[in-house]
Amino acid sequence: MSALLTVQSLQVQYGAVNAVRGIDLDVREGEIIALLGANGAGKSSTLNALVGLAPASAGKITFKGQDVTGSAPERFASLGMTLSPEGPARLRYAQRAGKSAHGRLFHAGQGRGENGF
């Protein structure tokens, strides 16, 4: 079975800071993975790069056979790949990702906590 998501040598930088230094991974349909690491290890930066919220400074991201490296969050959402952050970050992500992601994140009003998010 081929990978649904393939990440090759992904790097994310914020100025001179190397937040992610060459991650490789394959995720097949139906598979569940976990990113584990200490604070500041690059977990959030990796996920943000995988949905277009942080620019990849190097590497390649392939989703459903399409090279999506450097794509905008709207494109990821249209392909069915979104991030569902915790708390108030949900609204910021939905605003950035566009209406299609907003609909997916808040589908049928599920997941609402304090403040209605």
Side-chain angles (χ1 to χ4, degrees):
M1 178 186 291
S2 64
L4 182 64
L5 172 69
T6 300
V7 179
Q8 299 170 314
S9 302
L10 179 68
Q11 295 182 34
V12 178
Q13 288 182 276
Y14 300 106
V17 175
N18 293 315
V20 178
R21 299 179 185 171
I23 288 183
D24 295 306
L25 66 95
D26 287 323
V27 181
R28 288 164 178 66
E29 189 169 345
E31 191 172 41
I32 297 172
I33 65 161
L35 293 178
L36 303 175
N39 290 343
K43 301 175 300 292
S44 294
S45 293
T46 297
L47 294 175
N48 285 333
L50 292 180
V51 294
L53 291 172
S57 56
K60 183 176 179 180
I61 303 167
T62 306
F63 184 64
K64 294 183 178 178
Q66 298 180 41
D67 183 355
V68 293
T69 310
S71 294
E74 300 86 30
R75 179 160 184 227
F76 286 99
S78 73
L79 292 171
M81 187 162 124
T82 62
L83 180 66
S84 183
E86 184 178 358
R90 282 182 152 182
L91 183 58
R92 287 191 303 276
Y93 174 74
Q95 290 169 336
R96 178 104 187 262
K99 292 180 182 177
S100 60
H102 185 271
R104 293 174 199 266
L105 287 171
F106 299 106
H107 177 68
Q110 296 176 0
R112 292 179 188 230
E114 292 179 30
N115 304 325
F117 298 119

